[in-house]
Amino acid sequence: MKKLTKIAPIENLSLVDKVELRLKEYFKENNLKIGDSIPKELEFAQAMGVSRTSVREALLRLRTIGIIESKKHRGMVLTQPDIIRNFEKAIDFNLLGDQTLKDIFELRLILEMGMADLLFARKTEQDLKILDKIVSKQEKEEKNTNFFSLENEITFHGKLYQMSNNSTLQRFQDLLLPVFQFVHDNKLPEAKNFKYSSGKFVTHRDLLNILDKGTPDAFREAMRKHLEPHFEQILEA
Amino acid sequence: MKKLTKIAPIENLSLVDKVELRLKEYFKENNLKIGDSIPKELEFAQAMGVSRTSVREALLRLRTIGIIESKKHRGMVLTQPDIIRNFEKAIDFNLLGDQTLKDIFELRLILEMGMADLLFARKTEQDLKILDKIVSKQEKEEKNTNFFSLENEITFHGKLYQMSNNSTLQRFQDLLLPVFQFVHDNKLPEAKNFKYSSGKFVTHRDLLNILDKGTPDAFREAMRKHLEPHFEQILEA
DNA sequence: AATATTAATTATGTCCTACATAATGCAAAA
DNA sequence: TTTTGCATTATGTAGGACATAATTAATATT
């Protein structure tokens, strides 16, 4: 099919798309910040020469993302978008495809491998005590076994995320966990009775001891061994 | 203030919130998957006994997130949500607060520290050649200097993300980069003329050599040194 | 004068009806 | 068989009306 080189493409933005772009320009031109009030729906509609319905639909997009918040009688203000919220909804609707699930599973592993320096910089005595409690409880339940328990993993590692003192990371992990668990339960059928196949077995106790008295490098080495079952599965794919 | 224990809380979900919940239930009850068609706006409105406008607002939320896609004359289908898209918009509107920006800056570092195993598992000869070109070009420009260049960082590390073969991570990085750059340019005033303060200087060439012939552990150690300027800044805060 | 109550106003939330528009399907003509 | 024209379809847009929660102002009570 030969392209028509003399005919320019027709702009096919919908009216609501255009309104949204105009809103963005308006916010930038006026240097609006989080917390600032913005004009009313009717004011925007009149200024743009469109119906309130179209303005409403554009604003509704921004509301969904979290860029604005609206109150009856008061109007609307700019808010900091919650960058995790819509990720939550995607998961809630069970609409992530296999490839994305796999990506997220890997992303979780990458984060676990990458957070050592933050943990060492930000650990407190209180944190270590709580971790000790978690590990002691897990040791009682497991009794010298190498079986992999996802629930214990989630408890221990969840605490590590908390210790990072990075709230975005924590919120992100709250979402990664269900995905991780879903993939683990449904897509990796051999995982449930998994035993460590090679190398030294690194327990949560080992990790905690290093976190208490070791170095970030040593922690990374140990974490890699600890996560070996998962790495084995994804790196062979 | 003593709670009234005999009075049940008033449900204050808006009508559109309720419609959204019903839609979610409907999708789950009918086991709908990506690509499946869903009923028309009017059909939903009639079935739920609400106006088309309220259904439209609920559907518009889902459309914004990417859960559904609508076509004139054809109706709507379920799609895999693009989990990165709304993150893009948050950045586009310049509405992230300082704390979130800092979190994202750290998140980037964590990802860099964590991706070694994927790189080693998925590197190709082609990848290494391209990296060699990138590094050679950078070496020509720099000529035995320890100055930190953000642009070179972005080029080199961007290629690493690509090599991970994890599309979510790549898309995520496309977003992290502008934030990283913004924070670097605007929030870390000392960064522009930064020199390495301690330890052995690890270049992109060093990293590439290890990636070619070394181990993931060695790569992690080297990467940590390479990223020392950034880590210094966040870990002292 | 201070406080409580009521009324008025405000701006978003919801509803309804009508029409516009892009897209598909079908029938007729070439 | 291919092209054109028309009818139908379902989302997109418009405009008006009313509902509702929340704020402000006015009035009544103490």
Side-chain angles (χ1 to χ4, degrees), chain A residues 183-213:
Chain A
V183 174
H184 183 271
D185 290 346
N186 296 285
K187 309 281 185 181
L188 303 170
E190 301 297 316
K192 288 192 184 153
N193 302 306
F194 194 80
K195 283 198 174 186
Y196 283 93
S197 58
S198 65
K200 182 172 179 286
F201 174 48
V202 173
T203 65
H204 287 159
R205 175 62 67 186
D206 296 328
L207 288 172
L208 174 55
N209 289 339
I210 297 172
L211 184 58
D212 191 13
K213 301 220 156 49

Side-chain angles (χ1 to χ4, degrees), chain B residues 14-16 50-54 57 72-74:
Chain B
S14 74
L15 185 61
V16 179
V50 298
S51 81
R52 185 183 153 210
T53 311
S54 299
E57 288 211 15
K72 278 182 183 175
H73 182 84
R74 284 287 304 278

